[in-house]
Amino acid sequence: MSLRRSFDIACVCLAAMLAAGCATKPVDPELQAAYEEANDPLEPMNRYFFEVNYALDELLLKPAAGWYYTALPNPVQDGIRNFLRNLRSPVILANDLFQGEMDRAGDTIGRFAINSTIGLLGLFDVAAELGMPFHDEDFGQTLAVASVGEGPYLVIPLLGPSNPRDLTGRIVDFLIDPLDYLVQDDAFSYGRGATEGIDTRARNLKTLDEIRASSIDYYATMRSLYRQRRNAEIRNGQSDSDAFPGVTFEEDFDFEAN
Amino acid sequence: MLSRRDLLVIPLAFATLGIGAVRAGQSGTDAKSFIENLGAEAVEALTGPDLPQDERERRFSAMLNRYFDLPGIGKFVLGRYWRSASEAERQDFLRLFEDFIVKSYAARFAEYSGEQFRVLGVRNEGDYATVQSLVIRPGAEDVRVDWRLRDADGLKIIDIMVEGVSMVITQRADFASVIQSRGGVAGLLDMLRQKTSS
């Protein structure tokens, strides 16, 4: 397996901590509350890496994804994604089990068995048609289910929005993935990572352009989106009845009534 | 599977067209038909590449006011800064916020390519209701969209949740950051003026 990848991640984290220009905590109580809500003490550094990632995206990832999206017919793109998702099965299964989600673990096993055989090595998602739709899991979510807090917001070079919990999750997922041990080929690991990146980006070409166009502070918008999206994933798509408890809702909507 | 959905969605959406104003919420069926009306009306009035942009924006703005609790959303989005804002700033903000939404979203209906949505269910909690729906996009993955409604003198939408992401919370985070970096609500109003005048 490629130890280099995890070493790179570790170096980046260390450098990030050392280079960190911290935001100063405001004195004004309103601003202070906003500062705490953003939970982003490393904001200046994060914004810097956000810009770097944005530039890299414009230069490399977005054009590659654009090519992928226009040059390859839809069924081919779906085949590639199905194949990549099938490769993720061991990691998803491990995290299903860590979280005690036995039904979902069963789905993951069933999906892997069916799609690897009838689905021609995972190119076709036959299992979804049989009532076992794809679901993702990762160790960041497992930590969240075990009540580990997310920690401050982080933007990781190349990888994008994260936090200490999700970054740890990424490293653990990488270390427990048996495929890298089985294949023992750096080219496979990098190729897989790159294809996953391009495929995901290709599916979000329009969405990200729209989000950027309809926001004033793209960075702050992405920070909010990342957190909310992760929380939804942690809840496994169950709607969050606590997201809007009636009380805070009323407070926020009817200030004058208070 | 897809074709069965289409068969279901299209008559459902269009059958509710022309039913007229939805009365104040008596039950979940009202919230459901409210959202179905919105979907049908949006497709009917806002889509099509031949519609001039200013007319599209005018219609979008009218629908926005009819279906959404814009003042409520505006207050929520300004969050803690609503309290400290002056009355003039509040009025300015609500007007600019509406323009901002119209400018940001109306044009997207020009690119409409046959998306349909299917209502999955309705959950009622007192004065609030959540209409769960699935947006079915040709050649792309379905998107889960939940509509949060509040019944205060009639049903109005107060939030849209896309795959678990709240649009009003996202917007509030965006504006809060602008207010912080630009030294107050006046800075946000300047930015909104710039964004909406172009």
Side-chain angles (χ1 to χ4, degrees), chain A residues 26 29-31 33-35 37-38 43 47 69 74 81 85 129 203 206-207 210-225 228-229 232 235 237 239-241 243-244 246 248-250 252-256 258, chain B residues 1 69 72-73 75-76 79-84 90 100 104-105 108 111 123 125 127-128 132 139 141 144 146 148 150 158-159 161 163-181 188 191-192 195:
Chain A
E30 297 279 283
L31 291 175
Y35 174 87
E37 194 176 275
E43 184 169 336
R47 277 193 189 265
Y69 186 75
N74 270 345
R81 190 190 32 182
R85 281 178 165 181
E129 305 291 323
R203 286 167 201 279
K206 212 176 137 194
T207 311
E210 284 176 353
I211 292 168
R212 189 172 154 79
S214 64
S215 57
I216 299 181
D217 187 338
Y218 187 43
Y219 170 86
T221 301
M222 290 302 288
R223 183 175 62 198
S224 175
L225 285 174
Q228 292 188 63
R229 187 77 203 104
R235 295 193 306 267
S239 62
D240 180 5
S241 53
F244 284 125
T248 56
F249 212 53
E250 283 298 331
D252 281 337
F253 268 89
D254 298 320
F255 289 123
E256 273 123 357
N258 297 326
Chain B
M1 213 167 132
D69 178 9
I73 293 172
K75 275 186 229 172
F76 182 87
R80 56 175 63 86
Y81 302 104
W82 180 265
R83 254 172 295 217
S84 52
R90 290 179 181 181
F100 175 70
S104 301
Y105 296 97
R108 293 191 196 173
E111 301 154 30
R123 218 179 47 215
E125 302 140 82
D127 287 342
Y128 297 92
Q132 298 153 333
E141 268 183 31
R144 176 70 186 274
D146 289 357
R148 298 269 309 165
R150 185 167 67 146
I158 52 172
D159 194 8
M161 311 268 297
E163 293 285 343
V165 172
S166 152
M167 300 202 53
V168 299
I169 290 180
T170 308
Q171 195 63 72
R172 185 170 66 173
D174 181 9
F175 286 176
S177 181
V178 176
I179 290 171
Q180 280 175 80
S181 62
L188 172 67
M191 288 304 289
L192 283 172
K195 267 264 185 189

Side-chain angles (χ1 to χ4, degrees), chain A residues 165-184:
Chain A
R165 183 190 66 203
D166 292 344
L167 184 61
T168 308
R170 261 179 178 274
I171 295 166
V172 171
D173 283 336
F174 170 73
L175 293 174
I176 63 175
D177 193 341
L179 262 168
D180 288 291
Y181 297 94
L182 287 172
V183 179
Q184 297 263 6

Side-chain angles (χ1 to χ4, degrees), chain B residues 65-80:
Chain B
N65 279 290
R66 202 142 26 91
Y67 284 97
F68 289 80
D69 178 9
L70 272 185
I73 293 172
K75 275 186 229 172
F76 182 87
V77 160
L78 208 54
R80 56 175 63 86

Side-chain angles (χ1 to χ4, degrees), chain A residues 81-126:
Chain A
R81 190 190 32 182
N82 290 338
F83 180 76
L84 291 169
R85 281 178 165 181
N86 199 48
L87 293 185
R88 260 187 76 76
S89 297
V91 171
I92 296 172
L93 174 64
N95 285 296
D96 283 336
L97 293 172
F98 291 151
Q99 294 175 34
E101 296 269 4
M102 291 308 155
D103 287 350
R104 281 161 71 98
D107 270 8
T108 306
I109 296 171
R111 285 179 53 81
F112 187 68
I114 292 166
N115 288 345
S116 302
T117 52
I118 307 170
L120 304 178
L121 295 174
L123 287 174
F124 296 93
D125 193 350
V126 186

Side-chain angles (χ1 to χ4, degrees), chain A residues 12 19 22 24 86 103 121 126 136 152-153 160 247 256:
Chain A
V12 160
C22 290
T24 28
N86 199 48
D103 287 350
L121 295 174
V126 186
D136 206 355
Y153 182 67
V247 182
E256 273 123 357

